[in-house]
Each structure stands twice: as structure tokens, then as C-alpha cells.
Amino acid sequence: MFAASGSDAALVTFLIYTAAVFVLAALSNRLLKSKNFVSEYFLGSRGLGVWAFALTFAATSSSGGSFTGFPSKIYTHGWILALWIGSYMVVPICTMGFIGKRLNQVARRSGSITVPDVCRDRFNSPVFGLMAVSLIVFFMSFNLVAQFKAGSLILQTLLEGVTLFESTADGLSQAVSGIPFLSSAESPEYLLCLLVFGIAVILYTTYGGFHAVVWTDVMQGIVMVVGVIIMLPLAISQAGGLDNTTRLMAKMTPPRISAAEKGGITLTLDKPSQETVIIDAGTWITDEPIADQKIPLLFRVTRATEIPAGETTVNEVKVLQLTTLDDIERILGRKERENFLNDVSVSNIDLKAYAYGEEGSQQGTYLVGPGPSASSSSGFLPLSLAISFFFMWAISGTGQPANMVRLMAFRDTKTLQRSICTVAIYYTLIYFPLVVIFCCARVLLPGMEGDSDRIMPAMAVFLTENIGMGWLAGLLVAAPFAAVMSTVDSFLLLISSAWVRDVYQRNINPEASEKTIKLLSYLATFVVGTAAMLVAVNPPKFLQDIIVYVGSGLAASFLAPIVYGLYWRRINAAGAMGAMIGGFAVHLAMYVAGYFVNGSFFKPYQLFDFDPIIIGLFVSFISGYIVTKVTAPPPDELVQKYFYTTKTKA
Amino acid sequence: MSTAPSNDTESMEVDPVFLNAKREAWVILGLWVVALLWSVPYCYLNGFQTGLNPETVETTMGIPSWVFWGIAFPWVVADLFTIWFSLFYMKEDDLGVAHEGEDLAEEIAEMHAKQDATTAGGNES
């Protein structure tokens, strides 16, 4: 019921938003005519000012996960997410300040445009440059496919229930039914979203280059922060104040859930129906309490099912059961507004408890560490993981090539200084408030665990409908979409710059004319984007795991060589390669070991309980140091070029 | 400095931008360590507990107290430090002009030099 008007608003917002993106791309394209093409197309002519630089940096780092996965985690595990995200208090200063100034200077001095360019020029080593470009293309291509999928899923979530969208999707599925590749997509809705999202991103990125990406990032960044700032007071006031929220959360106990393969509940209709009874996911079901218990029974369907016409019973319905009295009373108290299946009784309840969080000694689990967990008996965030996440965000963020490219694009030191402040304030306004908002969501919208990825749009619609401003939901749900779009466009440009600049211009044909390079840049961006989009039609499984693997793998490979290259005069090409190979190999080895020890590549082996990123970084820095020490010092000219300057007259 | 260039030391000096950036990087690393040592142990000691009594939950401004003192408060402190550091501590250095295309030009020149050398060598034999 509420979903409908909120989603229509989402469609309108999406259309306005897309139109704005194309206007920005057209403006950017005009800039391409006047300047050095490669530098402008891939690096914005190193002229980014405070707002552009700060917001493109912030928006690129916060991918779709910030507005889907993160809210879903807060909702599912409670206040412990404050510690999980805690290191964001130092993320801006670490990721921008640690290497920003020096990387920008070195890139200017050599004329480098891409990260592999920096690697190659700083050590005057084409081999090292090629190694860097291979790793970037390898890692980022996986990531691009994953982000395309994520973007389509978010768009699909937002547009669910819009009539025009559903009918277009049906039309599309008929249109492609004869085409073997396209018709095998997950669902027509997914395919439609992928095509719309993919084509929009590919076109504006191809046409406008770096400045288009940056300007759309600025717009996307503003949408994100405005969304959060509007939601925060609404969420707190509707939940009855923050103190009330926390006290209610202290009494919450995790739901009972059905196992994926077997179990659930049996539903019996009071009398058989003439038509098939369709039971959607999200439907509530209630029944009289079991004899010796005071708490009323309240279930929510997590997987859609149906009762055929003329029959009365369906077995093994997948549900979750609420166990907190306050939550149950709140839902029963607004029965008219919620979707209930009436005249039905429940039997054969076969549900399981959370692995951590339900026992009496674990009372108040939504308020304290390690937080409830459905699958792990040591809870959501044990100490070793909390430490790993402190590394993960601050240190591995510094090692991301997509962030490094941005550090090469700001105009001057003043811009960097002000941008660090801007991003610090920006992240403070986004990440901590998100924790508060989605803790409130536990009180306002109980029983969303089965579909917690939709908690952001669900909250947006709920909060705005309550104050009679449903149209506002459109703006709020645009935030996750903006977040993923701003990540995809940056990754796309990063890969195409690798092909054009690092592979073609620097290795195959250095003397290519400006016209050829221009044509190739447009072509490469378009082809890379289209290829990624086509792969995403039937995406490989484990995408979320791939994103994690890629993020930490890039940091383990790139952070040490870049930091050494910027700050250590003695480092030579061999040492830098040693650091890169060492980090990459050990990080990969942890995942391969996971395959043998834990039975899956994506359950990496955790040496001393630490995430592979920590071990990878450690080995990378050590191996870089050792290899450098046992090999000859770098040539004087290189040291002189990057570490010395002509004496200024006193 | 064992790797300092031997020639021309008279007219060259260690790049002040490099020195400033390096010093700033050490301070930032220190800040990260302080943040880690404040947040994680504090939260672990005060926020990881069993047998919580829901009636006696300690809150500060509506937030569980361990979150407030372990995350929210240091977050504000980190922000203040970040602002002070970037506006007042970081040196406003001149990053120099961009040598657009220079890396490529050098390589093209080298490539031609090599080609010339090989053609010259070929002529001699």
C-alpha cells in the first residue's frame, strides 16, 4: 500500500536524476575540446577545486553498499555497527592526507595520468608499469561487473511495484524471449534495470570523461547527504526519541528463522478458497498464543508461496517469527496498515534460533558486542574482526587505485587541505547518523530481517508517508542509487584509461596522434562498459565476496609500493615489484588456503584470526623492504628527479 | 644519505615538499594508531558484555554509553584534529607545474635514439 506512491516518486526522481546527469556530461564534453585530451579525459587536467575534489572522493569511496548493505547490517545486528564503522572517524585524513600531497606532486613532475603511469615513471620501469596495469585490469574488471549488478539490483528494489516499470519489464521479456543470451537473465525486471542503468552510465561516462564523472559525483554526493539529513530527525522523532529507541532495543531478542532447506510453518485456511491464495513475501500471520506462553504468535513470510484453489493447507512456509513482545504489540496495533493474511491457523512450527543472541545470558544483544548473528556462535563482531575492520576502512581505502587517481587530480595544496576537512564533516554527517537511523528502523519496522536489503527504501517510504509527504521518498531512495552510480563511473574510467594510456599509448604506439587517442578513449570506455554490462546479464555468483576480495587485494598489492615510492629514497624497481608481488601473492594464498581448509575460496584462511588484508599488507611492506636492501640502489637521476629540487636563493 | 646524488649537490637540496609530506604522513599514521587504541579497547571493555539488564542500560544522549564514549565522542575529537591538522598544521606547498606528456616524450626520444643507433650500426656492417 505505501509502496505504490513512494515508488512512483522513485520513478520520477530517477528520470529527473538521469536527465541531470546527461546535462552534466554534455557540459564536460565541451571542456574536452580545449585542453590536452588524455589529461582532461582521464584526469580532469589536474584542476579539481575543493567541492569537486572532496565530493568525488567521498562519493567514489561510498559504493552502493553504504546505502544497502550497511543499513541492512545495522538493522540486523544493532548498535555494534557503530564499532564496525568506527574507523571512518579517521578515514578522510588517512585516505587523502597520507599520500595525497606527495602523490600529486610526483604525478605532476613525471606527467603521469594513471596509477600505472606513476609506477612506471617513478621507477623508470616499463615492466613494473605493466605489472600494475595487469593487476588493475584483472581486479577492476571483476569489480565493475559486480557493481553493475549491484546498481541494477538497487534500481530494481526502488522501482518495485511501479506499474509502468512492471509492464515495460514484461514487454522486454517477450521481446528478448528469442535471444538466447538475454533471455537467460535472472528476471525481466533485473534485465530492464541493468540495461537502463548500464546504458545511462556508459553513455555519460564515455561522452564526458573525467569531468562528467566528477560533476555527477558531486550531485550524487549532495543527494546522499541531504537524504541522510532529512531522514535522521524523522526517524528519531517517529521512534519516540533516541533514548526510547535504545531502551526498546535493549529488550529485543532476535527472531526465530526458518532454515533454507527444510522447516518453516504449516498454514491452514479456516475454509477452502475458490481461487488460489497467493501469499507474498512480507505478509504477516498471527495466531493465538501456544497454551503455556504469554507472547502472541506473529510470523512474517520470507518467501512467497500459495495455497491452490480448493485446498486449505500449505506446508513448510518460510517465515520468521518475532520474539519481542513490544514489537509484536506494535505490529498488531497497526493491523489495518499492514498486510495480514486473515482466517488462517498455524501449526508444525519448525524454526531455529540465532546462533548467537537468544540465550538468556546474551540478553540485550542488539545493544552490546559482539552483536547477534544467525550463523556464527561467536557473534557478529568478535574482537579480532573489530581490529581487522579498523585496518580495512582506513588503510585499505588508502590503497585503492580509484582513490589514488583522484589524489592526482586536485589543483593545489590548499584544495587538498580544505577537502580533507570537507570529507571529514561529510562522512560524519553520513555514517554515524546512518547507524542511528537504522537502529530506529528496528523499532519502527520490526520483522524486516528476511528482506533487510530493502530496509532503506522501506524506511524512506514509511517515514515520509507518516508525515504526509510521500513524494520526498523519491529523493531519499535516490541516495543508494547515486552511491552506486558514482562508483561505477569511476571504475569504468579507471579500466579504460588502463587500456588506452597504459597499454596502447605507452607500450604499443607512443607516437599515436591526438586524434587516434581521442577515438580510442571513447571507444575503450564504451567497449569496456558494454562488455561488463553483458557479463552482468548472467553474473557469476558470490558477487559480494568478489567485491571484498578485490578491495582488499588491490590494497595489499598497491599500498606498499606506492608509499615506498613516495617516501623512501632507497627503494628501487625490484623492491617495488617485490612489494607488489608479495602482497598480491600472500593475499591470494590466504584465499586459496581457505579453499582447502574451509572448503570455499571465499572463506579465506585467517592466520592468527586476522583478515587476509592485514597479512597481505604486512608481507607486502616486509618483502618490499628486504628486496630493496639486497639489490642495488636506484639510479641517481631518479632519486634526484623525485626527491630533490633546485635550491631556492636564500 | 647514501643515495644522495653525488653531482650537483651544490645547487640541489632535498625537496621540502617531500619532507613536509613525510612528516605529515607520520602524524596521520600516529592519529590512526591513537584512534585504534582508543576505540577498540574501550568498546571491548565496556561494550562487550553478557547478561545485560534491560532496565539499567546506561545511555548518554540516548546512545548506549559505550558507543558514545568509544565511538561518537572520539569521532568528534578526530574531526576537530583533522580540521586543525589540515588547515593549520599541513604546509601549503607548491606542487609544481604538470609536465604533461613529458614521460611519453622522453620515451619516444629514447626509442628514436635506439632506432638510430641500430640503423647506424647496420650501415657500418
Side-chain angles (χ1 to χ4, degrees), chain A residues 101 105 121 243 246 361 369 413 428, chain B residues 11 15 47 51 59 62 79 93 103:
Chain A
K101 188 196 275 186
Q105 187 203 22
D121 294 339
D243 202 58
T246 303
S361 66
T413 317
T428 311
Chain B
S11 63
D15 190 343
T59 62
D79 276 352
D93 287 310
D103 46 2

Side-chain angles (χ1 to χ4, degrees), chain B residues 46-70:
Chain B
N46 297 282
F48 282 57
Q49 43 185 288
T50 49
L52 183 83
N53 180 356
E55 303 304 325
T56 59
V57 169
E58 269 185 69
T59 62
T60 308
M61 294 173 70
I63 300 170
S65 289
W66 71 269
V67 175
F68 186 87
W69 295 109

Side-chain angles (χ1 to χ4, degrees), chain A residues 43 48 53-63 88 91-92 94-96 99-100 103-104 115 136 140 210 217 392-410 416 423 427 486-487 490-491 494 551 554-555 559 562:
Chain A
L43 206 55
L48 297 191
F53 173 55
L55 286 175
T56 187
F57 195 91
T60 301
S61 338
S62 43
S63 66
Y88 264 75
V91 160
C94 288
T95 50
M96 302 172 87
I99 55 173
L103 181 61
N104 189 293
V115 174
I136 285 186
M140 295 307 280
F210 192 80
D217 281 359
M392 193 80 104
W393 303 133
I395 306 289
S396 101
T398 314
Q400 297 303 315
N403 290 350
M404 291 180 185
V405 174
R406 275 152 181 70
L407 294 176
M408 290 153 61
F410 61 82
L416 176 68
V423 176
Y427 277 171
S486 60
T487 306
S490 316
F491 286 3
L494 193 68
L554 278 170
L559 186 63
I562 292 285

Side-chain angles (χ1 to χ4, degrees), chain B residues 12-50:
Chain B
M12 300 294 278
E13 63 175 359
V14 179
D15 190 343
V17 183
F18 158 62
L19 293 176
N20 290 338
K22 191 161 114 175
R23 191 175 55 244
E24 289 156 9
W26 278 116
V27 176
I28 292 172
L29 196 64
L31 173 70
W32 178 81
V33 172
V34 170
L36 173 72
L37 290 182
W38 180 339
S39 281
V40 176
Y42 187 92
C43 290
Y44 185 69
L45 294 176
N46 297 282
F48 282 57
Q49 43 185 288
T50 49

Side-chain angles (χ1 to χ4, degrees), chain A residues 302-321:
Chain A
T302 52
R303 195 191 298 162
T305 182
E306 58 183 38
I307 305 176
E311 290 186 26
T312 53
T313 308
V314 57
N315 290 313
E316 298 204 348
V317 179
K318 302 298 175 202
V319 293
L320 58 83
Q321 178 186 12

Side-chain angles (χ1 to χ4, degrees), chain A residues 36 39 46 79-80 82-83 86 88-90 93-94 97-98 101-102 104-105 108-112 117 120-121 242-243 246-247 250-251 361 363-364 367-370 381 383 387 390-391 394-395 410 413-414 416-417 420-421 424 428 431-432 501 505-506 510-511 566-567 569-570 636 639-641 643-648, chain B residues 1 3-18 20-22 24-25 28-29 31-32 35-36 39-40 43-44 47-52 54-55 57 59 61-64 66-67 71-72 74-75 78-79 82-83 85-87 90-93 95-100 102-104 106-108 111-112:
Chain A
N36 176 320
S39 170
R46 305 173 209 270
W79 273 110
I80 190 65
L83 175 58
Y88 264 75
M89 66 177 78
V90 290
I93 193 170
C94 288
F98 192 65
K101 188 196 275 186
R102 192 55 191 145
N104 189 293
Q105 187 203 22
R108 273 166 205 265
R109 210 164 262 192
S110 58
S112 305
D117 255 0
R120 178 178 177 140
D121 294 339
L242 197 49
D243 202 58
T246 303
R247 287 183 196 289
K251 291 189 230 163
S361 66
Q363 210 173 24
L367 220 57
V368 291
L381 193 76
L383 181 64
I387 298 173
F390 239 83
F391 271 87
I395 306 289
F410 61 82
T413 317
K414 200 91 214 149
L416 176 68
Q417 293 170 285
I420 294 176
C421 298
T428 311
Y431 286 102
F432 197 78
R501 169 73 175 182
Q505 196 179 23
R506 301 220 57 180
E511 290 179 287
L566 297 178
Y567 292 118
R569 275 171 272 200
R570 174 66 176 80
D636 283 348
V639 179
Q640 194 159 321
K641 179 170 179 186
F643 290 87
Y644 288 80
T645 179
T646 320
K647 237 178 218 170
T648 42
Chain B
M1 294 294 136
T3 52
S6 50
N7 58 341
D8 241 9
T9 37
E10 300 277 301
S11 63
M12 300 294 278
E13 63 175 359
V14 179
D15 190 343
V17 183
F18 158 62
N20 290 338
K22 191 161 114 175
E24 289 156 9
I28 292 172
L29 196 64
L31 173 70
W32 178 81
L36 173 72
S39 281
V40 176
C43 290
Y44 185 69
F48 282 57
Q49 43 185 288
T50 49
L52 183 83
E55 303 304 325
V57 169
T59 62
M61 294 173 70
I63 300 170
W66 71 269
V67 175
I71 304 289
W75 197 311
D79 276 352
T82 300
I83 291 168
F85 175 88
S86 42
L87 295 186
M90 256 177 107
K91 289 279 183 300
E92 196 184 334
D93 287 310
L95 299 172
V97 284
H99 299 215
E100 294 307 352
E102 196 184 275
D103 46 2
L104 205 60
E106 273 174 20
E107 283 181 356
I108 294 173
M111 200 171 72
H112 281 289

Side-chain angles (χ1 to χ4, degrees), chain A residues 6 15 21 86 119 174 247 363 479 516 630:
Chain A
L15 294 177
V21 162
C119 296
Q174 283 163 13
R247 287 183 196 289
Q363 210 173 24
T516 314
V630 299

